């Protein structure tokens, strides 16, 4: 991953491949942002005019390259758009962390193949340092493991592409300031784990079976002092985990339930995170139609997010106990696969009539939710690429938040907004529960077609222990980006919800989450 350093050096004397500056969209044209003073001076104070001549407006995500002025040791200046200049709206008080994060991400991606870049973006607080650092580390991400020469030594170039930006220096950030150093440390820990989640999501399903995923989790847990327990198919059978076994029964790659336990000696609260981990989803007997299978390696994005968040919390030493549950299975059609019409006895003891085997995520989550509930945590949050209906409702960049407690749903939504992950609160209408009534079982795994994302949330609620606060994040839209990269978000796996989960853990540790 890109190395981050802090420096108070002036831009002209810094040896680098490029100097990155910020430009905003002002009322009368582009406006250079704070941090660019030395660069602007070298252009005789006319940098904004030069950028405007080159077509720059300061719009978010816009990138303009120009030769560095005489006397600079870097040959290139890269101006990246920050969006509207603060103060153009009455409520604006300064650059938002998300604007800085996105701008840094755009620039870092544009500098792929460079060895070093200096980022002279507005740094007025430790939060700004962290946002820029995150943007750089997330924007520079690439997944080259399966390309020729990919995954070689640091800085090696894959034959079909260029190596990511090797080093980024954040100008204006103080290397000896404890708050600035702490901001960078947090950015590195969260970004490294989020990028680990992206790697897992991007891995082809032949190389990421439930057993392999469990092994990766075990290795990371050992490295970071996290306790781990893995239930294989035999242990799942003995325990009566009918949902996970039912979904995984059609595959030669047997299912797993992974429990990750991070504890802190000063913790007063306990969170449980539950992730859907379908390492490949064919739809099972209810086979997906052509054109809908190609990206189904991403159906374990929820488990990847939970895994990354627990490890990040451990690396940050947060004063909160967190249990992560990874419900891992491969959903395949075969003679041993669960069939529409089958009835499964879940870990909770409830029976479920399976009407559609492609509604499998809720089945593995149901078992894991009940397992989490038996430990009586203060709150449970599950994360899943659960329904296409949520994509229809909220699009490809926003995840839905449902909960059995309105205040907790609001807190989760606000945490997501704070870290720059688009989310939207969704209801759990009681009238939709009737559609899941079954004549042969306690509940069916399908209900009304309209409002399908909400129906799935209602199903999951049935498996949360009584009196336990719970939220459900349906990340079906933002978990996998099938379009072009934007901001600090790459094509492919995104790591959606990782930062929200980490922020929830921080708020809980600080006593700010009830």
């Amino acid at each position: 991953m890109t190395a981050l350093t802090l420096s108070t050096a002036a831009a002209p004397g810094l040896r680098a491949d490029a100097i990155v500056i910020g430009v905003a969209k002002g009322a009368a044209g582009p406006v250079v942002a704070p941090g660019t003073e030395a660069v602007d001076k070298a252009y005789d104070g006319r940098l904004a005019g030069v950028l405007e001549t080159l077509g720059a407006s300061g719009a978010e995500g816009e990138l303009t390259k120009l030769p560095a002025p005489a006397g600079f040791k870097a040959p290139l200046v890269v101006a990246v758009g920050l969006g509207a200049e603060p103060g153009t709206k009455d409520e604006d008080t300064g650059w938002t962390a998300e604007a800085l994060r996105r701008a840094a991400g755009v620039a870092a991606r544009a500098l792929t193949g460079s060895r070093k870049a200096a980022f002279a973006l507005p740094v007025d607080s430790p939060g700004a340092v962290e946002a820029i650092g995150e943007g750089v580390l997330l924007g520079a991400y690439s997944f080259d493991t399966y390309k020729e020469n990919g995954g070689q030594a640091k800085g090696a170039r894959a034959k079909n592409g260029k190596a990511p930006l090797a080093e980024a220096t954040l100008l204006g950030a103080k290397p000896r300031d404890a708050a600035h150093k702490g901001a960078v440390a947090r950015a590195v820990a969260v970004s490294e784990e989020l990028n680990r989640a992206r790697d897992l999501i991007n891995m082809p399903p032949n190389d990421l079976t439930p057993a392999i995923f469990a092994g990766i989790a075990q290795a990371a847990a050992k490295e970071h002092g996290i306790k781990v327990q893995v239930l294989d198919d035999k242990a799942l059978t003995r325990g009566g985990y009918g949902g996970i076994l039912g979904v995984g029964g059609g595959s030669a790659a047997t299912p797993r339930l992974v429990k990750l336990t991070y504890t802190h000696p000063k913790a007063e609260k306990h969170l449980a995170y539950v992730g859907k981990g379908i390492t490949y989803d064919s739809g099972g007997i209810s086979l997906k139609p052509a054109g809908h299978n190609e990206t189904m390696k991403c159906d374990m994005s929820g488990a990847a997010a939970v895994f990354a968040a627990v490890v990040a919390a451990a690396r940050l030493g947060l004063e909160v106990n967190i249990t992560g549950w990874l419900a891992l299975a491969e959903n395949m059609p075969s003679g041993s696969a669960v069939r529409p019409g089958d009835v499964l006895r879940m870990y909770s003891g409830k029976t479920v009539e399976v009407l559609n085997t492609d509604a499998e995520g809720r089945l593995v989550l149901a078992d894991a939710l009940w397992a989490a509930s038996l430990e009586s945590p203060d709150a449970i949050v599950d994360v899943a690429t659960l329904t296409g209906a949520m994509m229809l409702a909220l699009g490809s960049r926003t995840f839905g938040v449902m909960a059995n407690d309105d205040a907790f749903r609001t807190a989760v939504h606000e945490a997501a907004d704070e870290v720059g992950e688009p989310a939207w609160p969704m209801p759990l209408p009681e009238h939709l529960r009737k559609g899941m009534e079954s004549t042969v079982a306690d509940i069916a795994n399908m209900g009304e077609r309209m409002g399908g994302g909400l129906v799935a949330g209602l199903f999951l609620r049935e498996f949360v222990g009584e009196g336990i606060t719970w939220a459900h994040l349906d990340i079906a839209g933002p978990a996998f980006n099938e379009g072009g990269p934007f901001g600090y978000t790459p094509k492919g796996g995104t790591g959606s919800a990782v930062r929200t989960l980490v922020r929830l853990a921080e708020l809980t540790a600080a006593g700010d989450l009830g």
Side-chain angles (χ1 to χ4, degrees):
M1 196 170 76
T2 305
L4 279 186
T5 58
L6 308 181
S7 176
T8 55
L14 197 69
R15 294 188 182 278
D17 295 308
I19 305 293
V20 177
I21 63 170
V23 56
K25 190 172 185 178
V31 178
V32 291
T36 63
E37 291 81 6
V39 181
D40 189 29
K41 182 179 179 181
Y43 283 97
D44 297 324
R46 296 182 294 179
L47 179 55
V50 172
L51 290 169
E52 187 171 25
T53 300
L54 293 174
S57 68
E60 182 182 310
E62 181 183 75
L63 197 83
T64 307
K65 296 182 179 181
L66 61 161
F72 273 54
K73 292 185 178 179
L76 182 69
V77 172
V78 176
V80 61
L82 288 163
E85 181 185 14
T88 55
K89 298 178 182 178
D90 291 340
E91 66 272 19
D92 287 340
T93 57
W95 305 103
T96 67
E98 184 63 6
L100 296 175
R101 196 180 289 117
R102 290 177 180 175
V106 168
R109 186 171 57 254
L111 291 167
T112 296
S114 300
R115 293 193 59 82
K116 183 177 181 179
F119 284 72
L121 295 174
V123 175
D124 59 4
S125 67
V129 173
E130 182 181 326
I132 296 167
E134 273 191 357
V136 169
L137 298 176
L138 298 179
Y141 172 84
S142 66
F143 184 72
D144 299 321
T145 304
Y146 292 86
K147 295 179 180 179
E148 188 173 354
N149 295 331
Q152 300 300 311
K154 181 179 179 181
R157 293 173 181 264
K159 183 175 182 180
N160 298 322
K162 299 178 180 179
L165 173 65
E167 182 182 349
T169 297
L170 310 189
L171 299 182
K174 304 170 185 176
R176 296 183 180 179
D177 184 279
H180 285 198
K181 289 192 293 185
V184 168
R186 185 189 185 282
V188 169
V190 174
S191 298
E192 284 186 348
E193 295 313 320
L194 192 151
N195 284 339
R196 189 206 298 260
R198 289 173 171 178
D199 284 346
L200 289 168
I201 297 164
N202 288 325
M203 283 179 69
N206 57 316
D207 277 355
L208 191 70
T209 62
I212 293 173
F213 195 154
I216 292 171
Q218 286 176 304
K222 182 178 180 180
E223 180 183 356
H224 296 290
I226 300 168
K227 293 182 181 179
V228 62
Q229 179 185 10
V230 177
L231 301 184
D232 62 12
D233 54 320
K234 294 183 179 62
L236 291 169
T237 300
R238 289 194 299 270
Y241 291 84
I244 298 174
L245 288 166
V247 173
S251 175
T254 54
R256 299 288 188 275
L257 178 62
V258 179
K259 177 185 178 184
L260 300 167
T261 305
Y262 162 69
T263 58
H264 192 283
K266 296 182 179 180
E268 296 181 356
K269 295 287 186 178
H270 175 200
L271 293 176
Y273 292 157
V274 178
K276 172 187 173 183
I278 303 300
T279 57
Y280 182 73
D281 182 19
S282 70
I285 297 297
S286 305
L287 194 67
K288 291 180 184 291
H292 290 74
N293 277 315
E294 290 77 5
T295 61
M296 282 299 101
K297 65 181 183 179
C298 80
D299 214 18
M300 37 59 67
S301 296
V306 166
F307 169 44
V310 174
V311 177
R315 291 180 60 174
L316 295 171
L318 300 184
E319 292 185 14
V320 59
N321 295 333
I322 306 176
T323 307
W325 300 85
L326 317 181
L328 309 176
E330 186 176 68
N331 187 24
M332 297 290 284
S334 75
S336 59
V338 66
R339 296 155 292 213
D342 281 356
V343 173
L344 303 177
R345 184 170 296 278
M346 313 298 281
Y347 183 52
S348 68
K350 286 186 179 179
T351 54
V352 176
E353 182 183 11
V354 179
L355 299 180
N356 187 326
T357 66
D358 196 24
E360 84 300 329
R362 64 198 70 181
L363 298 175
V364 300
L365 286 173
D367 277 354
L369 283 168
W370 188 253
S373 295
L374 292 179
E375 296 190 339
S376 301
D378 294 287
I380 299 175
V381 181
D382 77 70
V383 188
T385 47
L386 206 60
T387 65
M390 196 55 58
M391 296 179 68
L392 291 174
L394 299 178
S396 61
R397 297 190 184 184
T398 304
F399 63 74
V401 183
M402 285 155 264
N404 61 3
D405 180 275
D406 289 348
F408 190 58
R409 182 184 62 189
T410 298
V412 173
H413 179 213
E414 289 176 348
D417 184 64
E418 186 179 347
V419 298
E421 294 197 310
W424 197 251
M426 302 293 283
L428 289 173
E430 293 297 335
H431 71 273
L432 291 176
R433 172 62 179 85
K434 185 175 178 60
M436 290 184 284
E437 291 182 357
S438 168
T439 59
V440 297
D442 294 319
I443 191 172
N445 77 328
M446 293 291 289
E448 293 183 28
R449 180 170 175 268
M450 299 301 176
L454 312 182
V455 170
L458 286 165
F459 179 91
L460 294 178
R461 191 182 65 178
E462 297 280 323
F463 297 90
V464 176
E466 186 176 353
I468 298 176
T469 302
W470 157 79
H472 161 56
L473 313 185
D474 190 336
I475 62 170
F480 196 84
N481 177 27
E482 295 189 60
F486 59 92
Y488 50 86
T489 301
K491 185 179 178 66
T494 66
S496 177
V498 172
R499 289 179 295 139
T500 296
L501 295 180
V502 173
R503 187 60 186 143
L504 285 171
E506 289 175 327
L507 292 169
T508 302
D512 296 332
L513 202 65

